[in-house]
Amino acid sequence: MEAAERRRSRRLLRTLYGAALKGAGVDPEAAVVRALAGTDVRRALAGRRRVGLFAVGKAAAGMARAALRSFPRAPALVVVPRGDEARGLRGATVLRASHPEPDASSVRAARRAVGFFTGFTAGDAIVCLISGGSSSLLEHPRAGVSLAELRRRVRALSDAGAPIGELNRLRTRLSRVKGGRLGRATRARLVTLVLSDVPGDRPGVVGSGPTVRSKRRADVVRVIGSNRDGLAAAAREARRLGLRPVVSPRRLSGEAPRAGRALARRAKELPPGSVWLAGGETVVRLRASRARGGRSLELALSAALALQTPGDAGVSLLAAGSDGRDGSSPAAGAFAGASTIARARRRGLDPGEALRRHATHAFFERLGDLLVTGPTGTNVGDWVFLVKF
């Protein structure tokens, strides 16, 4: 009976995750199509001698595909993560660069981007399509800073559990292309369309804002999709399935284990037939050597540890990244619930040790509880879907 209930809850949670990915503000192609039809964008591009397209980030391929349908002859430069699919970009120059940490390919991409922007003049416009992941894909350290030093300083701050805004402020200080510096390589008008994966959906923080120049310029900067759009789509699907969705008014934030325990407390208060939907981005403070894992996996395991009373029997959750990756794990996230810890101990697994060593990928892999999707082609942060039957 337990296995049947587990399969049922997983089908539901997978369905909610899939619905969130198809949300109009999460699907990169749909988001760009809608934005390009907007009056403000059309007005900004009207009368321009030439229009160029520049896309960078985990959602770059999908965003560029949509823009190329509107501007099929436009010069286009697209920078995607190494290993990601980049189909349907005929006529565009596609560069593959490193993620989650920059390497020489990221520097080459940044130099090509600067050259691309320099080729446009005051009578032209560049549509800039920016999504999360750009900070690593596009990097050129400022004078006096080596790439190795930049990587070391950013990694140290990340390992200490710094939020994305703080990380991107450091990246901006160390870079020649972040914080609007890439945009300042051209006199062309810039139309920057942003798919947001950051708290507050601030466009200058997403990807460290390479094309967000001074507010005094006549540029168009718009956030065209965010984490909340995915939650809204998942809530609609939950209602269609006869469940009562409750969308968290607060973003997921802070250390992943603490967020997982808080989520478990919330689950105990939900009435049966409810789905709790939350989104955002937590952090992992590394206290041991690096192992395969990520923030969604640590959140899921911490929640499972707090869901072991008889009254928690009907609770299941999925914690996963919208991009299909979770930290150093190739999985998007993991399923967990009231039976997770008991099942793990029957297999000789120690959940506390998995958390201490940050080895959560191996833990959930042994249980068969990983959600593996591969790259989804978008990036709006993380989601947690919790159902109570």
Side-chain angles (χ1 to χ4, degrees):
M1 187 65 177
E2 176 190 298
E5 287 299 312
R6 194 161 63 248
R7 287 194 294 271
R8 174 193 175 201
S9 66
R10 286 188 184 188
R11 283 195 297 270
L12 170 63
L13 293 167
R14 280 180 180 272
T15 297
L16 295 179
Y17 179 80
L21 286 176
K22 293 175 184 175
V26 177
D27 179 283
E29 296 190 47
V32 169
V33 167
R34 190 173 65 248
L36 290 178
T39 302
D40 55 342
V41 173
R42 288 189 284 111
R43 185 182 297 123
L45 297 176
R48 296 285 115 179
R49 185 175 65 88
R50 280 196 309 160
V51 174
L53 302 177
F54 173 71
V56 60
K58 294 180 182 178
M63 296 177 83
R65 274 195 298 273
L68 283 166
R69 288 199 291 271
S70 294
F71 303 97
R73 295 181 178 82
L77 178 65
V78 183
V79 186
V80 300
R82 189 182 295 126
D84 278 18
E85 187 179 84
R87 58 180 175 79
L89 298 175
R90 185 177 179 181
T93 298
V94 179
L95 305 179
R96 300 182 183 277
S98 174
H99 187 276
E101 291 187 312
D103 66 10
S105 66
S106 309
V107 177
R108 287 194 295 270
R111 287 172 173 161
R112 289 286 296 274
V114 170
F116 181 80
F117 274 62
T118 303
F120 291 84
T121 68
D124 301 330
I126 306 174
V127 177
C128 308
L129 309 168
I130 310 298
S131 56
S134 302
S135 292
S136 175
L137 298 172
L138 207 67
E139 186 55 274
H140 191 182
R142 65 174 172 78
V145 178
S146 69
L147 182 60
E149 180 187 353
L150 183 148
R151 285 167 56 111
R152 184 168 58 251
R153 291 175 64 176
V154 172
R155 184 187 301 141
L157 192 61
S158 176
D159 289 353
I164 187 63
E166 190 174 341
L167 286 172
N168 282 358
R169 281 192 292 274
L170 174 62
R171 288 165 167 150
T172 297
R173 290 198 300 272
L174 300 177
S175 176
R176 300 187 192 192
V177 292
K178 295 177 170 53
R181 295 184 183 98
L182 173 61
R184 289 194 285 275
T186 184
R187 295 178 61 203
R189 174 169 291 179
L190 302 184
V191 173
T192 296
L193 306 179
V194 179
L195 200 62
S196 173
D197 65 333
V198 303
D201 299 327
R202 292 171 292 168
V205 179
V206 179
S208 303
T211 63
V212 180
R213 305 187 290 196
S214 166
K215 293 180 180 178
R216 293 191 298 272
R217 293 178 182 265
D219 292 339
V220 174
V221 181
R222 281 189 54 190
V223 173
I224 62 172
S226 71
N227 189 279
R228 301 294 291 184
D229 294 312
L231 293 179
R236 289 192 294 271
E237 181 64 14
R239 282 191 290 269
R240 189 187 72 80
L241 295 172
L243 297 165
R244 177 176 175 266
V246 181
V247 178
S248 173
R250 299 181 62 183
R251 285 182 66 97
L252 292 168
S253 62
E255 291 194 43
R258 183 178 299 175
R261 293 190 294 270
L263 190 73
R265 290 193 295 272
R266 171 61 63 184
K268 297 174 188 295
E269 302 168 0
L270 287 176
S274 299
V275 178
W276 180 260
L277 309 166
E281 186 171 292
T282 60
V283 298
V284 171
R285 189 187 299 273
L286 287 178
R287 297 176 174 87
S289 61
R290 288 170 175 263
R292 268 188 163 186
R295 54 186 180 259
S296 290
L297 298 181
E298 292 210 4
L299 185 153
L301 182 49
S302 299
L305 282 164
L307 290 170
Q308 298 187 69
T309 66
D312 301 326
V315 176
S316 298
L317 66 92
L318 169 64
S322 60
D323 61 354
R325 304 179 179 94
D326 186 37
S328 59
S329 167
F335 300 95
S339 67
T340 298
I341 303 304
R343 290 169 51 232
R345 287 179 172 145
R346 287 197 295 268
R347 289 165 173 77
L349 300 175
D350 184 337
E353 180 67 10
L355 277 175
R356 284 189 294 273
R357 294 181 51 243
H358 306 292
T360 45
H361 176 90
F363 178 90
F364 282 112
E365 186 176 44
R366 287 277 304 277
L367 291 176
D369 289 350
L370 292 172
L371 173 68
V372 179
T373 64
T376 62
T378 192
N379 184 27
V380 293
D382 302 337
W383 291 310
V384 176
F385 307 124
L386 183 150
V387 61
K388 187 172 184 178
F389 290 119

